[in-house]
Amino acid sequence: MASAAIGNTVASFSRVPYEVVKQSLQTGQYSSTLQAASTMWRDGGMRSFFPLGGVSIQMVRDIPYAIFTLLSYEFIKENWVLKRTEEDPSSRWFFDMVAGATAGGIGSYLTNPMDVIKTRLQTTGGSSKYGGSIVKCAAVVLEEGGPTAFLRGSVPRLMHKIPANGCFFVFYEFFRRALRVE
């Protein structure tokens, strides 16, 4: 699990600028990626792409996501996939896909509260409104919408993460077997 945490720390840092630009487009602040990137650079330089609290909340979301997803996948693999494919290994790809999709859904759902906070901190005004504080942002979300506010956006996120993880784990297991990495 340490390797997942370290890998996701580096990946989280690199994702922040992409997420900030994407969210600025999604909230209608800019009409194109080029307009968003150039205006953000002109108005705030590099800091525009790394808002206060943006990197830390990215890690607070991504590291647990990776851990929940990998632990869920390994559990499902050991307790279901390997047992179901002992007699017929030709169906292994299907069971790997279902296990990966399920694990991705579990990881996504459990970390959706952090995704809500991440989006608020990384969109324009989030840094000043919450002072970059994850705790303050969470308190405001809770106050505004109660506990269910932390599930906002979970359906589209699951619609993305479930098939993506199903595909990922099919190829992950295929290449582990092909390269004889066990």
Side-chain angles (χ1 to χ4, degrees):
M1 287 305 111
S3 59
I6 293 166
N8 268 283
T9 298
V10 173
S12 294
F13 184 81
S14 69
R15 280 188 202 110
V16 173
Y18 157 79
E19 288 287 327
V20 170
V21 171
K22 177 187 78 166
Q23 291 162 354
S24 295
L25 288 166
Q26 289 173 335
T27 57
Q29 295 169 353
Y30 303 102
S31 58
S32 72
T33 303
L34 181 60
Q35 180 194 24
S38 61
T39 303
M40 290 169 69
W41 182 260
R42 184 188 70 232
D43 293 349
M46 187 62 77
R47 190 69 172 142
S48 294
F49 299 95
F50 292 93
L52 193 59
V55 174
S56 58
I57 188 56
Q58 189 81 36
M59 286 190 261
V60 167
R61 183 199 67 175
D62 291 352
I63 293 169
Y65 167 78
I67 292 170
F68 288 140
T69 300
L70 291 172
L71 288 175
S72 298
Y73 178 75
E74 288 300 322
F75 179 83
I76 296 166
K77 177 182 164 184
E78 292 296 321
N79 292 286
W80 185 65
V81 173
L82 296 178
K83 291 176 183 175
R84 298 287 302 222
T85 59
E86 277 180 323
E87 308 254 337
D88 182 16
S90 67
S91 63
R92 174 74 188 266
W93 70 269
F94 174 77
F95 289 95
D96 289 338
M97 180 182 64
V98 172
T102 303
I106 291 167
S108 294
Y109 192 75
L110 291 176
T111 58
N112 204 78
M114 284 78 89
D115 192 57
V116 170
I117 296 166
K118 178 195 72 69
T119 299
R120 288 201 179 200
L121 284 172
Q122 290 180 347
T123 52
T124 301
S127 292
S128 59
K129 184 174 182 179
Y130 309 110
S133 169
I134 294 169
V135 174
K136 183 176 181 182
C137 184
V140 171
V141 170
L142 184 62
E143 184 180 309
E144 287 176 359
T148 59
F150 291 104
L151 296 178
R152 290 181 185 149
S154 60
V155 171
R157 189 164 182 245
L158 289 167
M159 289 173 64
H160 160 73
K161 291 290 190 178
I162 289 173
N165 278 279
C167 291
F168 170 81
F169 281 104
V170 165
F171 287 101
Y172 171 77
E173 291 295 347
F174 171 80
F175 283 106
R176 280 185 62 163
R177 289 188 294 276
L179 299 171
R180 292 177 170 52
V181 178
E182 292 293 330

